[in-house]
Amino acid sequence: MDASIVGILMLDGATNGAIYALLALAIVLVFAVTRVIFIPQGEFVAYGALTLALLQLGRVPGTVWLLLGLALIAALLDAVARMRRGQPAAQVAPAVLKSLVVPVLIVAVTWWAAPRKFPLLIQSLLTLAIVTPLGPLVYRLAYEKLADATVLVLLIVSVGVHFALTGLGLVFFGAEGFRNPSFWDARFSAGALSLSGQTIIIFLVSIALIVALFLFFERTLRGKARRATAVNRLGARLMGISTSGAGHLSFGLAAFIGALSGLLIGPATTMFYDSGFLIGLKGFVAAIFGGLASYPAAALGAIFVGLLESFGSFWASAFKEVIVFTVIIPVLLWRSFQHGHADEEE
């Protein structure tokens, strides 16, 4: 190994780390607001990349039917809940139809736009419009009724949601892998290093989201109010904070970040229906560095994970995943010694 190889590995590791940073931010975001360890975060990455791939082929992606199906189920549950509260049908029907307007509009636009093979940027925006609403719907159907449950129960639900989304991904996209075109084909060389335009986009997007999320949740009243729901849901409701709205917002942002990550890494690697699982786990390892609470620490942890994976693949490519996931053990031990033991409050 010489200096040129070190530089190449560091650049590759930093690029992967930028993607893991986005996923770590999403995981920290969801946990900070809802106490949910969101294992299915990687599935949104796969959904984003594969939805764009099908649009590139001029086909209607199956994710639009998932969006419509979840929206119909959520609307039905809302209608039943409203009728149980004694609301007349004349008030229930307009509210239910209003909740279906956006999903139906997205399905209609996708059905019309897919065969026309619009430019990559328009297809990417359409992909974000399809995948992002899945986040709040998943929260509504899987987590909202269990919002006051223990972290362990919420973790078990996350495992179930992960398997469900992975299975649906196989149904929608099949076992075949896809790779998307790059957003910027330019290349910049400096000695042995070669920096692509796609890599620059990844860095810029990651930095922008890290700064935006940090400022929103640490420096704004609305952001602090959203985090208060995870600390004390009852107290937050008494202070006028919508805990349900906070959950929908956090899952919507997580789905958006996941889909965006899928769009960014789609040109660099072949994506399969189950590729998001390992990517999401590496984002989770990065989030552990921040104690599932700190956005900057999670971002630094993601860069470390990316560099560790890059150098590990050079020295022992067969064990690179083992090396990455083993590092979580000393981090957890350090966190345990740092914070000590405290009984969980019921």
Side-chain angles (χ1 to χ4, degrees), residues 65-78:
W65 308 122
L66 176 62
L67 173 62
L68 184 60
L70 293 180
L72 288 173
I73 295 173
L76 178 61
L77 293 177
D78 289 339

Side-chain angles (χ1 to χ4, degrees), residues 149-199:
T150 63
V151 174
L152 178 60
V153 171
L154 296 174
L155 176 61
I156 294 172
V157 173
S158 288
V159 174
V161 173
H162 156 68
F163 283 119
L165 292 179
T166 302
L168 289 172
L170 177 59
V171 173
F172 296 148
F173 308 112
E176 182 183 359
F178 296 91
R179 179 172 290 201
N180 296 322
S182 175
F183 288 94
W184 189 14
D185 294 324
R187 301 197 69 86
F188 306 92
S189 298
L193 295 181
S194 179
L195 186 65
S196 67
Q198 184 70 22
T199 300

Side-chain angles (χ1 to χ4, degrees), residues 97-117:
L97 292 176
K98 183 179 178 180
S99 66
L100 292 174
V101 170
V102 173
V104 171
L105 181 61
I106 292 174
V107 172
V109 171
T110 304
W111 183 271
W112 170 78
R116 288 167 172 78
K117 296 185 179 181

